[in-house]
Amino acid sequence: MEKNIAVIWGDCSSPEIVKQTLRVLDKVAEKYGHTFHYTDAAMGGEAIDKYGDPLPQHELDKCLAADSVLLGAVGGPKWEGLPGEQRPEKGLLRLRAGMGLYSNNRPAKIWPQLAPASPLKPEIVAEGIDFIIVRELIGGVYFGKHETYTLENGEKQAVDSMPYSEHEIERIGRIGFETAMKRRRKLCCVDKANVLDTSRLWRAVMHRLQAEYPEVEYSEMFVDNCAMQVVKDPSQFDVIVTENMFGDIISDEASMITGSIGMIPSSSLGDGTRGLYEPIHGSAPDIAGKDIVNPTACILSAAMMLRYSFGMAEEADAIENAVNKVLDKGLRTADNMSEGCTCLGCTAMGDAILAEI
Amino acid sequence: MEKNIAVIWGDCSSPEIVKQTLRVLDKVAEKYGHTFHYTDAAMGGEAIDKYGDPLPQHELDKCLAADSVLLGAVGGPKWEGLPGEQRPEKGLLRLRAGMGLYSNNRPAKIWPQLAPASPLKPEIVAEGIDFIIVRELIGGVYFGKHETYTLENGEKQAVDSMPYSEHEIERIGRIGFETAMKRRRKLCCVDKANVLDTSRLWRAVMHRLQAEYPEVEYSEMFVDNCAMQVVKDPSQFDVIVTENMFGDIISDEASMITGSIGMIPSSSLGDGTRGLYEPIHGSAPDIAGKDIVNPTACILSAAMMLRYSFGMAEEADAIENAVNKVLDKGLRTADNMSEGCTCLGCTAMGDAILAEI
Ligand SMILES: CC(C)[C@H](C(=O)O)[C@@H](O)C(=O)O
Ligand SMILES: CC(C)[C@H](C(=O)O)[C@@H](O)C(=O)O
């Protein structure tokens, strides 16, 4: 197969992980007889520096023209003082919206070899951590109106609004149920229905969908309780579906309990097969240029791209198995080091994964 | 001293913990020569059953007339099907607003005797968990407009709005700084300033306050990152200040890492000394009537009332020390049991604490 991949190299230490990821993709292409064409697209800090805009239309167009998009991570201290519209994150939000990527899929899965790195007690980890957070990505308070104005008495007031309409909930709710059907068939809708109208609308829509998926064990949980349960007993979860902001918070918490956020990929999809694939970690400015950042989450994001956007399950397996073997051999990057293991830099970790494909 | 306390007995297993708490208060009164007058006030499920309203004005008036309010916990399956306005939680929200309680103080502190119950690894717990979350309690999305309407195309849309004005931020921000001054002088403002206008306004106000508190080491953190840090390295926090919804989520997560949510009290205060004191846990419907619920969080809430509303520091210490001694003796309720300890029911735990005062 021939595929066009838009590549957003990202900021700070991000180009280092993207570089290793493209090496891995090339190896897969060679081995399985595919051709991947890469087109560089600028977004985030790089785009601000080049164009004064975190996502100019011509760069978004490159992403829309591709079969899928690979992203490292954007942002860094250099761009932190900028006003809202010109910040790197704004480029990411506009990319998600521009590509119509309403469904963000974030696995929280523990690699057995890295289990000791979890901040949770071994007894809890032993029960198993393997769930997915299906986060709505282009609605809610992220994309509602944001206003700041001066009241009559002279003080400032800001208002952010969190809108959700039925079709936005239904399409992501359906992804939640479909994802559960492919797994252990448990779906938990996380919300704050005791306070929010949007949450009550979510529940109403979810109840309609539930009727279509009688095999799925469906439950509901308030987000504050969920923040507790993720720490107390993560093994209870199979698939969580939730709105944008709650998904942001809960998925980060969930990634942390695995103890290895340098290993967690993510996919963002819309109605077609074109997706955006990126590690969940940030651009790690503090270690940029040192060739010590962990490229694995980005490499595993590429594996997700092969699986979900290109239908290349075997190829995705090849990458994931390679990562597994590397871990089995005790090879680690600095973020995951533990006694008795060998510490590799970013390039060396790329080499090690390549060698297993 | 003579003090009037409005007592909200609450629902399900709540009256059991309130009963033990009043016994403790009576003992303190006797020992230190105070008189506490109790006035029952109905709120939540009880008020719905009696008056068809989770907080009728005459019950709110009783709370406003008191020197302070003691609350167990409200809600339960019986009232779950009711429409929003008639649900028990709505009574709680209206009580907070009606009393002007903008500052919710939730300690996340580990009792050394209960450290093994933390879901976190001993290495992390050993670093220390002792921080306070100062949560804004009567603003933000909890009290913004909630609307659900039908769009032209026939589908429903809901919008929740999250407003904050400068004076609302300033008064809680000040509590954050003042709280930090009394402790380790570190304050972290938790927000989502890369997305929300309200968060950006928070930061602007906090920066002004910061100038007044040069001795406080002030920092800012995105809420998603905070959800990770609470699990990864809770020892980094001294005081967290944050808006209502983020405070709800982060404080519940923080309570869980202590491993003993049956032990955590909370205070809610406004401009005067009249406060609302309640355990952070819920009404535990599943164990109602069995005399096994842990009364400690409610008893410690009463201690907070003595300290913060009545200026009775010695009396508060007496209660807290009594709890400490009881734990030292290996006495536990079912929720905190571990090997080698003695399991007590709710009344017996009340007896045990009383005996140490
Ligand atoms: C950078 C930020 C706007 C973004 C978000 O909140 O969605 C990030 O935290 C994420 O989760 O991808
Ligand atoms: C019951 C609910 C409305 C309430 C809240 O969200 O504030 C509770 O979770 C709390 O934290 O006291």
Side-chain angles (χ1 to χ4, degrees):
Chain A
M1 278 201 264
E2 216 167 312
K3 294 288 176 190
N4 295 306
I5 302 174
V7 178
I8 300 172
W9 288 80
D11 305 318
C12 302
S13 63
S14 173
E16 302 169 43
I17 63 176
V18 171
K19 185 172 170 193
Q20 299 311 316
T21 305
L22 297 191
R23 290 176 69 205
V24 168
L25 280 173
D26 285 338
K27 179 79 185 269
V28 166
E30 188 196 309
K31 180 160 175 192
Y32 292 90
H34 303 304
T35 310
F36 298 139
H37 303 287
Y38 307 117
T39 308
D40 293 352
M43 189 273 285
E46 186 195 349
I48 295 171
D49 288 350
K50 278 194 188 150
Y51 310 110
D53 177 343
L55 183 65
Q57 185 64 42
H58 47 85
E59 301 303 294
L60 171 59
D61 286 342
K62 288 185 195 167
C63 296
L64 292 169
D67 293 310
S68 235
V69 182
L70 179 73
L71 162 64
V74 298
K78 181 172 173 190
W79 305 280
E80 244 152 47
L82 296 174
E85 279 307 307
Q86 287 164 45
R87 290 171 54 132
E89 303 93 305
K90 199 71 199 184
L92 181 57
L93 298 180
R94 275 159 49 196
L95 182 64
R96 290 171 179 169
M99 292 178 66
L101 307 172
Y102 56 81
S103 172
N104 184 212
N105 180 320
R106 300 199 176 190
K109 189 175 165 160
I110 208 146
W111 291 83
Q113 302 95 330
L114 301 177
S118 169
L120 299 184
K121 280 201 276 206
E123 304 91 278
I124 297 179
V125 175
E127 297 290 316
I129 301 180
D130 178 9
F131 61 104
I132 286 186
I133 290 151
V134 174
R135 168 187 176 193
E136 202 289 324
L137 201 58
I138 55 175
V141 77
Y142 279 72
F143 292 92
K145 246 194 276 175
H146 307 291
E147 293 175 295
T148 306
Y149 40 81
T150 305
L151 297 171
E152 272 178 28
N153 64 8
E155 72 168 326
K156 281 199 187 134
Q157 179 165 58
V159 184
D160 297 292
S161 70
M162 185 190 227
Y164 268 109
S165 56
E166 284 178 295
H167 82 275
E168 290 175 302
I169 302 165
E170 187 174 330
R171 62 188 182 184
I172 189 75
R174 200 173 285 286
I175 305 265
F177 277 106
E178 291 289 339
T179 308
M181 282 299 285
K182 290 185 204 128
R183 295 174 44 100
R184 302 194 303 277
R185 304 196 173 179
K186 281 176 63 177
L187 179 65
C188 180
C189 174
V190 169
D191 61 33
K192 189 77 190 176
N194 48 355
V195 175
L196 304 180
D197 263 32
T198 46
S199 292
R200 288 186 277 262
L201 189 58
W202 269 74
R203 289 202 175 181
V205 174
M206 293 304 290
H207 294 166
R208 285 204 301 266
L209 288 172
Q210 194 189 353
E212 292 180 41
Y213 297 91
E215 290 148 273
V216 174
E217 186 191 314
Y218 172 77
S219 63
E220 291 162 347
M221 193 180 273
F222 294 141
V223 61
D224 46 334
N225 186 23
C226 183
M228 297 205 271
Q229 297 302 324
V230 162
V231 180
K232 188 187 179 195
D233 175 19
S235 73
Q236 73 188 282
F237 296 112
D238 179 21
V239 181
I240 285 175
V241 65
T242 189
E243 67 88 39
N244 207 344
M245 172 78 72
F246 296 154
D248 180 44
I249 300 170
I250 297 295
S251 69
D252 266 11
E253 181 187 355
S255 70
M256 186 48 75
I257 63 165
T258 68
S260 44
I261 68 163
M263 303 289 295
I264 306 186
S266 78
S267 71
S268 302
L269 285 154
D271 278 329
T273 58
R274 189 184 51 227
L276 170 69
Y277 296 85
E278 53 172 321
I280 66 142
H281 62 71
S283 63
D286 48 319
I287 54 170
K290 297 189 177 157
D291 194 34
I292 58 172
V293 60
N294 187 351
T296 317
C298 194
I299 290 170
L300 291 170
S301 298
M304 280 184 113
M305 174 189 291
L306 299 183
R307 190 185 305 281
Y308 296 116
S309 284
F310 302 161
M312 301 178 179
E314 202 185 326
E315 292 84 338
D317 285 345
I319 297 178
E320 289 163 4
N321 291 337
V323 169
N324 200 37
K325 278 188 212 143
V326 163
L327 291 180
D328 277 344
K329 286 189 172 167
L331 304 177
R332 305 280 188 274
T333 40
D335 54 315
N336 279 328
M337 263 306 281
S338 61
E339 245 189 84
C341 291
T342 309
C343 188
L344 303 181
C346 180
T347 309
M349 179 52 87
D351 290 340
I353 294 172
L354 268 182
E356 300 294 343
I357 292 175
Chain B
M1 278 200 263
E2 215 170 313
K3 293 288 176 189
N4 295 306
I5 301 174
V7 178
I8 301 173
W9 287 81
D11 306 318
C12 303
S13 63
S14 173
E16 301 168 44
I17 62 175
V18 171
K19 186 172 171 194
Q20 298 312 316
T21 304
L22 298 190
R23 290 176 69 207
V24 168
L25 281 173
D26 285 338
K27 179 78 186 271
V28 167
E30 188 195 310
K31 181 161 175 191
Y32 293 88
H34 303 303
T35 311
F36 298 138
H37 303 287
Y38 307 116
T39 308
D40 294 351
M43 190 272 285
E46 187 195 350
I48 296 171
D49 289 352
K50 278 195 188 149
Y51 309 111
D53 178 343
L55 182 66
Q57 185 65 41
H58 47 85
E59 301 302 296
L60 171 59
D61 287 341
K62 288 186 196 167
C63 296
L64 292 170
D67 293 310
S68 235
V69 183
L70 179 74
L71 162 64
V74 299
K78 181 172 174 193
W79 305 280
E80 244 151 46
L82 295 174
E85 279 307 308
Q86 287 163 46
R87 292 171 54 132
E89 302 93 305
K90 199 71 199 183
L92 182 56
L93 297 180
R94 275 161 46 197
L95 182 62
R96 291 171 178 169
M99 293 179 66
L101 307 172
Y102 56 81
S103 173
N104 184 212
N105 181 319
R106 300 199 177 192
K109 189 176 165 158
I110 208 144
W111 291 83
Q113 303 93 330
L114 301 176
S118 169
L120 299 184
K121 280 201 277 205
E123 303 92 278
I124 297 179
V125 174
E127 297 289 316
I129 301 180
D130 178 9
F131 61 104
I132 286 187
I133 291 151
V134 174
R135 168 187 176 195
E136 200 291 326
L137 201 58
I138 55 175
V141 76
Y142 279 73
F143 292 92
K145 247 194 276 176
H146 307 290
E147 294 176 295
T148 306
Y149 41 81
T150 305
L151 297 171
E152 270 178 30
N153 65 8
E155 72 168 325
K156 281 200 188 132
Q157 180 166 57
V159 184
D160 297 293
S161 70
M162 185 189 230
Y164 268 108
S165 56
E166 285 177 295
H167 82 274
E168 290 175 302
I169 301 166
E170 188 174 328
R171 62 189 182 185
I172 188 75
R174 201 172 284 286
I175 305 265
F177 278 105
E178 291 290 338
T179 308
M181 282 299 286
K182 288 184 208 131
R183 296 174 44 100
R184 302 194 302 278
R185 303 194 174 182
K186 281 176 64 176
L187 178 66
C188 179
C189 173
V190 169
D191 60 34
K192 188 76 188 175
N194 49 354
V195 174
L196 304 180
D197 263 31
T198 46
S199 293
R200 288 187 277 261
L201 188 59
W202 270 74
R203 289 200 175 183
V205 174
M206 294 302 291
H207 294 166
R208 284 203 302 265
L209 288 172
Q210 195 188 351
E212 292 180 42
Y213 297 90
E215 290 148 273
V216 174
E217 185 191 316
Y218 172 77
S219 64
E220 292 163 344
M221 192 181 271
F222 294 141
V223 60
D224 45 334
N225 187 24
C226 183
M228 298 205 272
Q229 298 302 325
V230 163
V231 179
K232 188 188 177 195
D233 175 18
S235 73
Q236 73 187 280
F237 297 112
D238 179 22
V239 181
I240 286 176
V241 64
T242 190
E243 66 89 39
N244 207 343
M245 171 78 72
F246 296 154
D248 180 45
I249 300 171
I250 297 294
S251 69
D252 266 11
E253 181 186 354
S255 69
M256 185 48 77
I257 63 166
T258 68
S260 44
I261 68 164
M263 303 289 294
I264 306 187
S266 77
S267 71
S268 302
L269 285 154
D271 278 328
T273 58
R274 189 184 53 226
L276 171 68
Y277 296 85
E278 53 172 322
I280 66 141
H281 63 71
S283 64
D286 48 318
I287 54 170
K290 295 189 176 157
D291 194 33
I292 57 171
V293 61
N294 187 351
T296 316
C298 194
I299 290 170
L300 291 171
S301 299
M304 280 184 112
M305 174 188 293
L306 300 184
R307 190 184 303 281
Y308 297 116
S309 285
F310 302 161
M312 301 178 179
E314 201 186 326
E315 293 82 337
D317 285 345
I319 297 179
E320 289 163 5
N321 291 337
V323 169
N324 200 37
K325 279 189 212 143
V326 163
L327 291 180
D328 277 344
K329 287 190 171 166
L331 305 176
R332 304 280 188 276
T333 41
D335 54 316
N336 279 328
M337 264 305 281
S338 61
E339 245 188 85
C341 292
T342 310
C343 189
L344 303 181
C346 179
T347 309
M349 180 51 87
D351 290 341
I353 294 172
L354 269 183
E356 301 293 344
I357 293 179

